[in-house]
Amino acid sequence: MRVYLDNAATTPLDKEVFDAMAPFMLEHFGNPSSIHSHGREVRAAIEKARRTVATLLNTSPAEVFFTSGGTEADNAAILCTCRTLGIRHAITTQLEHHAVLHTMELLEKQDGVQVSYLRHDERGNLDLAHLEELLSSQPQTLVSIMHANNEIGNLNNIEAIGALCKKYNAIFHSDTVQTMGHYKHDLQQLGANFIVGSAHKFHGPKGVGFLYCDANVKIQPLIQGGAQERNMRGGTENVYGIIGLAKALEIAYRDMEEHTRYIQGLKDRMIYQLKEQLEDVHFNGMSATADKSLYTVLNVSLPASDINEMLLFSLDINKISASGGSACSSGANTGSHVLRALDVDPTRGSVRFSFSKYNTPEEIDFAAETLAKLYKKVSA
Ligand code: PLP
């Protein structure tokens, strides 16, 4: 058995999604910008996909723009909002994905934008009183706060953040990559001006995503070129990617209740097994608290041990694919900017397990037993 427990990094493609995409690789190959029938049939399919996404998110198709993924959508929302509207102050957190953090650093260095980082506690809970303090003292602000953290799974209260942004007239972007397709987003309720999606996080294809852009916030495009995406993103569309994204989101919404229950059950099982079989095991951030974290992510904190440096490698040779964080290759905490920001003891080991509808209880048991054996071996 080889077990894949790295679904926050990417998810396997759903066969139903592949079946929807295949005709757009082989038969319907026209360029959607061409005015002849080969082009028009593909254009119609893209617009249908856009309507599907918009309907699921309770917004208008005119506010949905397809991109190459979550990173591009985050970059476009942050860079283009600040540059188009001349925004001089941004608020974010140290726990964001690098798609947001590095974009903020660029704005700071190249555009002289002042970036404030929100306070949080040692489990990654954000201080919303601090947000209000910052918002009330800085007019014309861009706030970028993720819906859920990809490493520790913490769910942020983006409705409350959206309401604060509205109160102080700030623009609000939320990186929703980890919740899109796993939670319902109702854009009439949310109070966000920008949210994003990345198809490969919900069993769609890689290299395609979207940006929801509030029609009341007019921004210039990130990518210059042709008139594609209503002048918001130059470049020939990733047609089969877009078709796959819409299909994957449709399936995710269709089956959400059942999959949420099932995956939360797998995560609960993992928590139980690890607590039973390992001594001194904790969970980083809020990842073991059901209503405060993604049901797909569990970040496990393991005792100080020589094995920690090679933890992910040891799991891999024992047939388990897991991760230490977004761009982290070792099991030691030093590789993760999120765990560092939480001041997690660097001698402890950390591993992120992330689950999908394709995982089984047997795989969970196997992973928990393997981890327990690795630590028992070294402590024996
Ligand atoms: N934001 C978050 C929270 C993510 O987890 C990821 C992917 O790991 C991204 C952004 C980037 O998305 P993509 O891989 O589509 O560029």
Side-chain angles (χ1 to χ4, degrees):
M1 173 162 25
R2 173 155 271 288
V3 179
Y4 182 76
L5 290 175
D6 200 13
N7 291 281
T10 197
T11 51
L13 191 72
D14 189 314
K15 174 73 168 58
E16 240 187 289
V17 173
F18 176 77
D19 289 343
M21 292 168 68
F24 290 88
M25 296 176 186
L26 296 169
E27 297 143 45
H28 311 299
F29 60 84
N31 185 323
S33 296
S34 301
I35 54 166
H36 48 62
S37 71
H38 279 86
R40 286 200 313 273
E41 67 175 12
V42 175
R43 159 74 40 224
I46 289 183
E47 294 318 317
K48 183 163 172 252
R50 197 186 312 281
R51 280 196 302 279
T52 301
V53 173
T55 305
L56 294 170
L57 303 182
N58 197 16
T59 190
S60 135
E63 296 179 305
V64 174
F65 300 94
F66 293 114
T67 65
S68 66
T71 300
E72 183 192 320
D74 284 337
N75 269 257
I78 297 168
L79 280 179
C80 301
T81 300
C82 285
R83 289 181 175 165
T84 309
L85 306 180
I87 286 178
R88 312 294 306 149
H89 180 236
I91 302 171
T92 189
T93 80
Q94 288 166 331
L95 311 176
E96 301 299 308
H97 189 274
H98 283 142
V100 168
L101 280 181
H102 290 164
T103 308
M104 289 290 183
E105 285 162 18
L106 182 81
L107 277 172
E108 227 172 353
K109 278 200 202 107
Q110 284 192 356
D111 300 51
V113 170
Q114 186 202 332
V115 181
S116 304
Y117 294 88
L118 210 54
R119 282 195 294 262
H120 56 79
D121 67 15
E122 74 288 351
R123 302 191 69 190
N125 295 301
L126 302 179
D127 182 347
L128 295 196
H130 186 212
L131 176 61
E132 181 148 23
E133 206 181 290
L134 289 168
L135 283 171
S136 60
S137 63
Q138 296 275 3
Q140 257 232 314
T141 293
L142 169 73
V143 174
S144 177
I145 297 178
M146 68 203 323
H147 189 189
N149 188 279
N150 48 302
E151 294 193 35
I152 51 175
N154 283 30
L155 272 171
N156 294 321
N157 185 347
I158 53 170
E159 288 81 7
I161 294 168
L164 278 177
C165 290
K166 203 166 194 176
K167 181 173 167 192
Y168 291 97
N169 224 1
I171 307 276
F172 178 33
H173 158 254
S174 184
D175 178 345
T176 47
V177 163
Q178 289 292 338
T179 50
M180 188 59 61
H182 301 286
Y183 293 78
K184 290 195 169 145
H185 294 91
D186 180 347
L187 284 162
Q188 301 311 311
Q189 304 296 324
L190 204 53
N193 303 103
F194 298 96
I195 68 167
V196 305
S198 175
H200 73 109
K201 307 289 187 181
F202 49 92
H203 305 285
K206 293 170 184 58
V208 63
F210 69 88
L211 172 66
Y212 155 77
C213 180
D214 177 350
N216 298 313
V217 183
K218 304 272 181 244
I219 58 168
Q220 299 292 323
L222 179 72
I223 295 178
Q224 314 301 320
Q228 291 92 350
E229 294 300 285
R230 301 182 308 290
N231 288 310
M232 277 291 283
R233 184 186 190 265
T236 302
E237 296 88 340
N238 174 359
V239 177
Y240 44 82
I242 291 169
I243 303 299
L245 181 149
K247 188 68 189 175
L249 198 61
E250 197 178 292
I251 295 169
Y253 268 69
R254 184 191 72 197
D255 300 339
M256 198 174 284
E257 257 175 58
E258 185 195 331
H259 288 156
T260 304
R261 219 176 312 114
Y262 178 71
I263 299 168
Q264 181 71 56
L266 295 177
K267 176 171 162 175
D268 292 345
R269 189 179 182 107
M270 185 67 139
I271 294 172
Y272 177 81
Q273 298 270 23
L274 291 175
K275 281 187 181 162
E276 282 287 295
Q277 298 184 47
L278 271 153
E279 274 171 33
D280 190 22
V281 63
H282 309 305
F283 301 97
N284 290 314
M286 300 300 290
S287 75
T289 309
D291 59 338
K292 297 266 192 263
S293 69
L294 286 170
Y295 56 87
T296 48
V297 169
L298 182 66
N299 195 308
V300 186
S301 169
L302 295 148
S305 160
D306 292 346
I307 195 181
N308 289 346
E309 278 300 318
M310 300 293 281
L311 180 54
L312 295 178
F313 181 65
S314 304
L315 284 172
D316 192 29
I317 54 178
N318 281 284
K319 299 191 164 40
I320 295 162
S321 298
S323 151
S326 59
C328 164
S329 58
S330 95
N333 292 330
T334 47
S336 157
H337 69 280
V338 173
L339 297 182
R340 262 200 315 276
L342 298 189
D343 267 337
V344 166
D345 176 356
T347 64
R348 291 185 67 86
S350 292
V351 56
R352 177 188 71 182
F353 293 113
S354 45
F355 316 100
S356 87
K357 61 182 180 180
Y358 294 127
N359 289 122
T360 64
E362 292 71 34
E363 290 179 333
I364 299 300
D365 296 351
F366 176 72
E369 269 163 39
T370 306
L371 198 60
K373 267 190 218 151
L374 285 174
Y375 279 85
K376 272 187 196 129
K377 236 188 251 166
V378 286
S379 62

